[in-house]
């Protein structure tokens, strides 16, 4: 992503849509960022993230107090937000 994401706006978007605590959302997004930053890029500089592996990683963090469905909801809403902003998309 070349453009900067307004983190506060993103968290508020997810909180409004999911009715989850913004603090829990921030924790999930922090762990997601760590996971993505540790992932290896391919020759084109792209990182292929398996969503199930990502959810498992986030769920394994001791400070995550949400269930799997809530974590998946946060990640799905984040992707919705990024796509609405034109910052991300899915690769087949």
């Amino acid at each position: 992503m070349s453009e900067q994401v307004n983190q506060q706006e993103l968290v508020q978007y997810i909180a409004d849509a999911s009715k989850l605590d913004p603090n829990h959302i921030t924790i999930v997004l922090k762990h997601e960022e760590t996971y993505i930053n540790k992932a290896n890029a391919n020759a084109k500089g792209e990182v292929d993230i398996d969503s199930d592996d990502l959810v498992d990683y986030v769920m394994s963090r001791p400070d995550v107090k949400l269930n799997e469905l809530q974590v998946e909801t946060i990640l799905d809403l984040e992707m919705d937000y990024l796509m609405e902003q034109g910052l991300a998309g899915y690769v087949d």
Side-chain angles (χ1 to χ4, degrees):
M1 279 181 275
S2 58
E3 296 183 41
Q4 186 67 15
V5 173
N6 181 330
Q7 190 73 13
Q8 187 174 3
E9 184 179 292
L10 170 61
V11 170
Q12 190 60 52
Y13 174 92
I14 295 169
D16 290 347
S18 68
K19 308 301 184 219
L20 294 170
D21 183 324
N23 293 323
H24 292 298
I25 295 166
T26 301
I27 290 168
V28 169
L29 296 177
K30 176 187 74 164
H31 290 306
E32 175 199 28
E33 182 177 7
T34 299
Y35 181 86
I36 290 171
N37 288 339
K38 289 181 180 179
N40 294 321
N42 65 17
K44 295 179 184 177
E46 300 168 337
V47 177
D48 184 28
I49 301 295
D50 181 279
S51 61
D52 291 333
D53 291 343
L54 173 57
V55 170
D56 290 344
Y57 173 81
V58 172
M59 292 295 300
S60 73
R61 305 294 91 193
D63 58 343
V64 174
K65 306 295 185 212
L66 301 171
N67 64 43
E68 188 172 340
L69 181 59
Q70 291 168 318
V71 170
E72 288 175 352
T73 298
I74 290 169
L75 298 174
D76 288 345
L77 288 168
E78 177 195 25
M79 190 58 149
D80 291 347
Y81 174 85
L82 294 173
M83 289 187 342
E84 286 176 17
Q85 301 298 313
L87 301 173
Y90 289 103
V91 178
D92 291 332

